[in-house]
Amino acid sequence: MSDQPVPVIDAMHFRRTLGQYPTGVVVITAVTDGEVVGMTVGSFASVSIDPPLVAFFATSTSGSWRAIRESGTAFCVNVLSADQEDVCRQVASRKSDKFEGIPLRITERGHAVLEEALAYIECETEAIHPGGDHDIVVGRVLNLDMQGTTNPLLFFRGGYGAFIPLSLASADAGLASQMRFVDVARGAMERLAGDLDAEVSAVCTAGEDLVIAATAGPLVRPEMITRVGQRWPFAPPTGALFAVHRDEAERRRWLTRAAEKFGAGAATELLERVEAEGAVYAVGPVDSQAPLFDVLSLDVPLDLVHEHAAAYNPSVDEVTGEIDLRFVSAPIVVGGEMVFELSAWGRRQPLTKAQARQIIDRVKACAAEISTIIIDAGLVPNAAAAV
Ligand SMILES: Cc1cc2nc3c(=O)[nH]c(=O)nc-3n(C[C@H](O)[C@H](O)[C@H](O)COP(=O)(O)O)c2cc1C
């Protein structure tokens, strides 16, 4: 220790400065005589994988912490989702029955799990260390699991928020308006993902890019935490649906760029095929070294995409042999305007023509269903007559 006097840190300054660091929010639960007790905690962290340990910091004087401590050594960490701000506030209050009206279940180990939490972690208290005016509570993880795919609740500078990838959060007014449509489409996207056992995504335009605004179903690349926010340049052969369904200027811009890449004739032909089919799909040779499917799943040079442009919308009916359908995209058109693109990815096994056709038609039908949902939700004034 140095001889220097210990500096006095102003408590408000400490709070404000530390408030620059955002946290997630969890609810710690414990069960005592059949009654659930608990508290809202921001100071939660994973500590160790082997052995599996987590920790949180509890105000030593907290009545809720005392109740958890006195209930025994079992506690459960519930990770709150972005739509559980009310749960966060209710459990942080000093009400006598903090869990009234909050759906929960008791697990085999006797832990209280909030039904709508994103994840839960069943723990046994491993150690309680003093940490100034807090107790550092270390828990050994006995069991844990995830329960949903929505975003977590975040706490920052005293306010609540939700996680948005930077690529989506950009001040892009066009993208923000498309997100309203994507939000109401989630149920239909989940159903399509379930039916096809494929990853389904909503693709929007953001300036000069195409961006994945939402996904449903199993990820085509499970090692990626999320594909939401992934961008790729809005350049041929991608974006053909937008070129067909947006205005004439968009169509000409796309055709000019496409002509530079693969010649005017091929570009026009591709666009006409897309128009006639009402969908875009890509088939790849099963043994391809750089399948389109992978190319579009990663940030790779567009040249690779161009190399595979021929695989875009060949007529399925003309392809010979088994078909490896990489993805199918269909436009969501409302009131004559395309609001976003629906894509299904990830059927890796070879298909017959009839099976490929069935999948293409299923994606198109889902796109049509979403258009109706958007109109029924009243998001597009006077659209009903113009579909
Ligand atoms: C977002 C948020 C984060 C919190 N994080 C902590 C925390 O990390 N540790 C803690 O002891 N209390 C934390 N609290 C406060 C407790 O949840 C709770 O308000 C308090 O414990 C209730 O009063 P009582 O403990 O005297 O019963 C937090 C509250 C909120 C709203």
Side-chain angles (χ1 to χ4, degrees):
M1 288 287 270
S2 79
D3 298 339
Q4 304 239 337
V6 180
V8 176
I9 303 286
D10 174 70
M12 185 54 81
H13 183 59
F14 181 94
R15 275 175 188 274
R16 283 223 185 100
T17 306
L18 272 295
Q20 302 305 307
Y21 184 66
T23 69
V25 185
V26 302
V27 162
I28 308 286
T29 55
V31 182
T32 182
D33 297 332
E35 197 191 318
V36 180
V37 293
M39 67 196 291
T40 298
V41 158
S43 60
F44 168 74
S46 69
V47 174
S48 157
I49 296 175
D50 186 16
L53 300 175
V54 294
F56 66 94
F57 309 141
T59 317
S60 343
T61 54
S62 157
S64 306
W65 164 227
R66 190 177 344 106
I68 294 169
R69 198 172 180 165
E70 287 173 358
S71 72
T73 54
F75 67 88
C76 186
V77 180
N78 295 269
V79 180
L80 295 191
S81 71
D83 41 21
Q84 287 185 298
E85 186 182 330
D86 52 343
V87 172
C88 162
R89 289 183 193 279
Q90 185 172 325
V91 179
S93 72
R94 294 205 165 128
K95 276 179 66 171
S96 55
D97 183 6
K98 292 178 168 202
F99 291 91
E100 193 185 355
I102 300 175
L104 50 78
R105 67 175 185 278
I106 304 296
T107 66
E108 275 173 25
R109 286 189 175 76
H111 290 84
V113 170
L114 305 194
E115 295 283 13
E116 282 152 22
L118 272 188
Y120 63 91
I121 305 148
E122 295 178 276
C123 302
E124 181 80 16
T125 306
E126 173 96 358
I128 300 175
H129 305 287
D133 54 13
H134 277 60
D135 288 336
I136 301 169
V137 186
V138 181
R140 178 178 275 259
V141 177
L142 305 178
N143 182 41
L144 72 172
D145 214 343
M146 295 165 281
Q147 305 195 116
T149 54
T150 51
N151 282 326
L153 181 64
L154 301 183
F155 187 68
F156 176 56
R157 289 188 190 156
Y160 297 96
F163 173 77
I164 304 175
L166 279 178
S167 50
L168 282 186
S170 62
D172 189 313
L175 180 58
S177 65
Q178 292 168 86
M179 287 303 289
R180 292 184 303 135
F181 304 122
V182 174
D183 280 343
V184 296
R186 281 179 203 274
M189 286 173 61
E190 293 285 354
R191 284 194 294 281
L192 180 66
D195 288 357
L196 299 183
D197 186 27
E199 181 186 335
V200 169
S201 55
V203 178
C204 293
T205 49
E208 290 294 299
D209 290 339
L210 294 175
V211 58
I212 295 185
T215 60
L219 287 176
V220 286
R221 295 191 151 259
E223 72 276 16
M224 296 174 88
I225 294 169
T226 177
R227 295 218 300 148
V228 173
Q230 187 192 335
R231 287 178 180 240
W232 62 90
F234 181 8
T238 62
L241 283 172
F242 289 99
V244 166
H245 291 278
R246 292 231 165 128
D247 57 16
E248 191 50 37
E250 196 74 90
R251 187 189 181 95
R252 269 203 303 275
R253 200 159 65 109
W254 190 94
L255 275 173
T256 309
R257 287 196 199 170
E260 284 165 19
K261 296 285 174 192
F262 7 90
T268 311
E269 206 180 298
L270 175 55
L271 217 53
E272 281 169 359
R273 275 206 307 269
V274 169
E275 204 161 7
E277 176 67 80
V280 161
Y281 48 79
V283 297
V286 180
D287 57 356
S288 166
Q289 290 301 304
L292 258 175
F293 170 86
D294 288 339
V295 166
L296 291 179
S297 305
L298 294 170
D299 290 330
V300 295
L302 258 192
D303 290 355
L304 269 178
V305 179
H306 296 140
E307 258 176 47
H308 290 265
Y312 259 74
N313 260 47
S315 170
V316 159
D317 307 313
E318 284 164 23
V319 176
T320 48
E322 289 176 319
I323 295 175
D324 186 19
L325 195 58
R326 303 290 181 176
F327 71 83
V328 181
S329 300
I332 312 297
V333 182
V334 187
E337 199 192 320
M338 178 167 168
V339 292
F340 68 89
E341 176 181 292
L342 179 75
S343 297
W345 319 66
R347 290 292 288 213
R348 278 189 169 264
Q349 66 269 47
L351 306 166
T352 63
K353 273 181 204 176
Q355 287 169 324
R357 173 55 58 200
Q358 222 176 358
I359 291 173
I360 294 166
D361 288 345
R362 176 71 183 86
V363 175
K364 282 161 70 174
C366 182
E369 181 195 345
I370 291 172
S371 303
T372 310
I373 292 171
I374 290 172
I375 293 164
D376 290 350
L379 293 181
V380 183
N382 308 323
V387 183

